[in-house]
Amino acid sequence: MKLDVCGSKCAVRCSKANAHEDCLKYCGICCNQCNNCVPSGTFGHKDECPCYRDLKNSKGESKCP
C-alpha cells in the first residue's frame, strides 16, 4: 500500500520535472521516510511536510524534489 500511495503522490509531484525518473526515485525515498507525506502540487509547498522538507543529501541540499 505504501508504494501505491507514494507512487501516485510522486507522479503528481514530478509531473513537470525535467529529470522525471530521478524526481520519482527521490520523491519515493522521501515519501517512504516521511510516513507517505508528499507536498501538494509540482513545486514548493514543502511546509506541508516538514520531514520531507528537512531531509538533506550529502551536500546539505534538499534531498526531496
Side-chain angles (χ1 to χ4, degrees):
M1 179 88 176
K2 236 184 194 183
L3 289 175
D4 293 337
V5 172
C6 288
S8 59
K9 289 181 177 182
C10 288
V12 172
R13 185 75 180 168
C14 296
S15 62
K16 295 184 178 177
N18 289 334
H20 189 72
E21 293 302 317
D22 284 343
C23 182
L24 289 173
K25 174 183 170 186
Y26 290 108
C27 179
I29 291 169
C30 295
C31 178
N32 283 319
Q33 288 182 341
C34 295
N35 297 316
N36 299 333
C37 191
V38 175
S40 63
T42 56
F43 186 79
H45 305 288
K46 288 190 176 181
D47 288 341
E48 295 174 1
C49 300
C51 168
Y52 189 100
R53 176 194 66 209
D54 295 340
L55 287 175
K56 305 292 184 201
N57 65 17
S58 59
K59 296 177 186 172
E61 300 164 341
S62 180
K63 179 177 189 167
C64 309

